[in-house]
Amino acid sequence: MKCRCEGTTMDCSHVAWVRLPRDEPPTETLLMNDNRMITVSLGPRLPNLLELSVEDNSITELERSPFRLRPNLKILRLGGNKIINVVSDAFRGLSQLLKLYLNRNNIETVEAFAGIDSPSSLEILDLQRNKPTSIATSMFTGVPWLTELNLSSNNIPTIEDGSFSGLKKLRVLYLHSNQILRLTNETFMGLSSLKRLVLADNKIQNLPDMVFNGAIALEFLDLISNSISKIIQTTFSRLFNLTALYMDGNNITYVEDGAFRNLVKLHTLSLFNNTLQSISASTFIGLAPDDRTDNTGLEELDLTWNRLTTVRKDDFARLTKLKILWLYGNKITSEGLEDGSFANLGNLVSLSLFDNLLTNFSTATFQGLPSLEMLHLGQNLIQTFQPFAFDNLPSLTSLNLRRNAFSSSSFHPDTFGNLTALQILKIQGITGLPPRVFRHLPCLQTVLLGNDLICDCDILDLAKWLNRIACLSSHMLILDTCM
């Protein structure tokens, strides 16, 4: 098989070659993916080469500086090979290298980024899906211009203090899917430019005082799927630039009052799938406009799948910039949900109380929500819906009530009164509907009914409505029986 050439790019992938081709014509980009190479030959020189990709071969070693005759290389892709050791002179001579991809190998030791032969101009280094056992303090001392480092999906249990201290330009650090057990307040020391840090899917149990003190420019922090049990006031000290914090899938039972006090730019907080049993207004100190000088505030809060039983009037009252509030999958009861609990949330667009223990609610439950567009109340224990139950929600376009404790008399003819903007209604599990139940819904386009509806003459109004609208329900054939 032959190579394919287009302009200054030569593609010799999938041709079963064992070495690099000659430089005919002059080549700037050479693709040698998925061949039979077991080593990288010193020749030919390829003096014009800027990008070389030898991914998915069988290369086992990088001995004797194999790239030194290609000094202009800026991008080098070595992913998907069988490299075990990255020796100190592996990239000697590559003084202009900017991007290096070593992902999907079997690398256990890394020496190439600590000495005088390091590619010191390197900006992006990908070492994900290898087999290093630790991160040593000297590992990256020879690549001070790194802006992105990917160490994810390895088997790293420990990071020596100060391992990243020389990476003053680093903006993105991926450490997810490792075995990291412990962080200290010196783990991230010196990372003054770091914006994005991903630590998801590790085994971190505790976050020490000021653990992120060396990375005060952080804007995005992902701690999903660890074993963290509590958040204290000093955990996030000095993270004044953080805008998004994800702590889903931990074992958080306790958030100290004022723990988010320093997070004065935070707009997204996700505590999905933890074991929180209670919250209060003090939990969210620092996240309200009154706590800030620029009138901003938290916009997204996810408390899905915790163990909350109550929501009081004051809990969210100060979070007046909130647009999304998810309380899905808790144990909130009607007795525990105070009327007016959301009354100050005039900017709220989406509210989920799906899969709780609600048996009833009143119109006062959802007062003060003029901007609400989506309300999820499905999979509760609500038996009846009173007339004009959603009267305080003039902007509501999507209402999910599916799989409650429905009966044939669950809905009053005026239950949906004044929902003039509603477009989507989900009531799967309903067995019957009163005549003219949809007459208040001029914008309704889609109704999801499920398979439990009993066809009788009481749903003639529904049949007439289905004939009128352009978007028909998937259960039209069932309703045809009654028409």
Side-chain angles (χ1 to χ4, degrees):
M1 297 179 66
K2 296 183 179 180
C3 299
R4 298 166 295 282
C5 297
E6 183 175 343
T8 58
T9 297
M10 182 186 298
D11 188 351
C12 300
S13 301
H14 319 294
V15 294
W17 284 14
V18 297
R19 58 174 293 141
L20 300 178
R22 292 179 297 174
D23 192 23
E24 296 177 0
T27 301
E28 293 182 0
T29 300
L30 175 58
L31 308 179
M32 290 287 296
N33 304 323
D34 192 20
N35 280 292
R36 297 180 180 175
M37 297 175 62
I38 59 173
T39 187
V40 180
S41 57
L42 186 59
R45 295 183 64 88
L46 304 174
N48 299 302
L49 198 62
L50 301 178
E51 179 175 354
L52 173 61
S53 182
V54 288
E55 292 187 330
D56 299 307
N57 280 275
S58 299
I59 299 168
T60 58
E61 60 181 31
L62 299 172
E63 303 285 349
R64 298 182 296 279
S65 310
F67 304 103
R68 66 180 184 272
L69 298 182
R70 295 117 194 176
N72 295 314
L73 268 180
K74 295 183 181 299
I75 303 173
L76 177 55
R77 302 180 188 275
L78 289 159
N81 281 284
K82 299 178 181 180
I83 301 166
I84 297 175
N85 301 311
V86 184
V87 295
S88 59
D89 63 350
F91 307 109
R92 178 189 294 169
L94 298 185
S95 60
Q96 298 185 51
L97 193 64
L98 299 177
K99 300 179 181 180
L100 175 58
Y101 300 89
L102 287 160
N103 54 303
R104 297 183 295 116
N105 278 278
N106 298 315
I107 297 170
E108 296 176 359
T109 60
V110 179
E111 301 172 352
F113 310 113
I116 58 173
D117 291 324
S118 302
S120 58
S121 58
L122 201 61
E123 295 179 1
I124 296 177
L125 175 57
D126 188 348
L127 283 163
Q128 67 174 309
R129 294 180 63 183
N130 281 286
K131 298 179 180 179
T133 56
S134 65
I135 304 297
T137 53
S138 61
M139 186 174 287
F140 302 110
T141 54
V143 283
W145 295 96
L146 272 187
T147 60
E148 181 174 321
L149 175 59
N150 194 338
L151 292 165
S152 65
S153 300
N154 286 293
N155 196 36
I156 300 168
T158 59
I159 302 173
E160 292 184 14
D161 287 349
S163 293
F164 308 115
S165 60
L167 303 180
K168 307 296 185 185
K169 303 291 184 181
L170 197 68
R171 295 172 60 87
V172 180
L173 177 57
Y174 296 111
L175 287 164
H176 56 282
S177 302
N178 279 288
Q179 304 291 320
I180 299 170
L181 291 166
R182 178 176 170 268
L183 301 174
T184 75
N185 55 15
E186 294 186 9
T187 302
F188 304 110
M189 192 59 62
L191 294 179
S192 56
S193 298
L194 194 66
K195 304 288 187 183
R196 187 179 186 91
L197 175 59
V198 181
L199 284 159
D201 296 303
N202 278 284
K203 296 183 178 180
I204 301 166
Q205 296 182 359
N206 298 302
L207 295 175
D209 292 355
M210 298 181 289
V211 62
F212 303 108
N213 204 33
I216 59 174
L218 266 182
E219 296 177 359
F220 180 96
L221 178 56
D222 183 348
L223 288 159
I224 291 173
S225 296
N226 279 278
S227 300
I228 300 163
S229 60
K230 63 182 178 179
I231 306 173
I232 59 176
Q233 283 193 10
T234 53
T235 299
F236 301 116
S237 294
R238 301 188 68 198
L239 293 187
F240 304 119
N241 295 294
L242 197 68
T243 61
L245 174 59
Y246 295 89
M247 301 191 73
D248 310 342
N250 280 276
N251 190 34
I252 299 170
T253 59
Y254 172 68
V255 179
E256 188 175 7
D257 289 349
F260 307 117
R261 185 187 301 273
N262 289 154
L263 307 186
V264 294
K265 291 188 178 180
L266 198 72
H267 64 66
T268 300
L269 174 59
S270 186
L271 293 165
F272 174 98
N273 193 20
N274 280 284
T275 52
L276 287 171
Q277 296 186 14
S278 64
I279 54 171
S280 71
S282 298
T283 305
F284 306 111
I285 291 173
L287 306 182
D290 291 345
D291 302 326
R292 303 178 177 185
T293 58
D294 57 0
N295 198 38
T296 62
L298 192 70
E299 296 182 4
E300 299 182 23
L301 176 58
D302 192 346
L303 292 166
T304 296
W305 284 356
N306 277 275
R307 298 178 183 176
L308 303 177
T309 58
T310 60
V311 178
R312 296 174 294 268
K313 286 183 179 180
D314 295 336
D315 290 348
F316 305 115
R318 300 179 67 251
L319 301 180
T320 55
K321 296 293 183 179
L322 210 58
K323 294 181 179 179
I324 298 174
L325 176 57
W326 292 87
L327 295 163
Y328 178 121
N330 281 277
K331 300 179 182 298
I332 301 167
T333 64
S334 294
E335 294 75 19
L337 180 59
E338 291 185 7
D339 285 347
S341 292
F342 312 111
N344 282 15
L345 306 184
N347 291 298
L348 198 67
V349 174
S350 180
L351 172 61
S352 177
L353 285 159
F354 194 88
D355 194 18
N356 277 277
L357 300 175
L358 301 177
T359 55
N360 59 78
F361 63 92
S362 71
T363 54
T365 303
F366 302 114
Q367 67 184 15
L369 296 173
S371 302
L372 195 70
E373 297 177 5
M374 292 176 285
L375 176 60
H376 302 268
L377 288 170
Q379 284 188 212
N380 278 280
L381 304 172
I382 304 170
Q383 295 182 5
T384 59
F385 296 84
Q386 301 301 317
F388 298 93
F390 307 99
D391 192 37
N392 291 321
L393 304 175
S395 300
L396 200 67
T397 60
S398 178
L399 177 59
N400 187 340
L401 302 174
R402 72 181 181 91
R403 299 299 170 193
N404 272 279
F406 293 134
S407 68
S408 58
S409 59
S410 289
F411 292 99
H412 186 276
D414 293 322
T415 290
F416 303 119
N418 289 344
L419 287 183
T420 55
L422 196 70
Q423 298 177 17
I424 300 172
L425 177 60
K426 300 180 181 181
I427 49 176
Q428 295 100 313
I430 191 69
T431 58
L433 289 167
R436 306 186 68 195
V437 69
F438 298 113
R439 72 183 188 281
H440 297 289
L441 307 174
C443 294
L444 193 61
Q445 298 176 6
T446 302
V447 176
L448 300 181
L449 298 166
N451 299 310
D452 302 307
L453 195 64
I454 299 172
C455 282
D456 55 32
C457 293
D458 286 341
I459 59 170
L460 183 60
D461 187 52
L462 176 59
K464 290 178 179 178
W465 175 79
L466 282 170
N467 281 332
R468 179 171 55 84
I469 64 170
C471 181
L472 298 181
S473 167
S474 61
H475 300 283
M476 183 63 177
L477 291 177
I478 297 175
L479 295 173
D480 277 342
T481 307
C482 301
M483 288 169 32

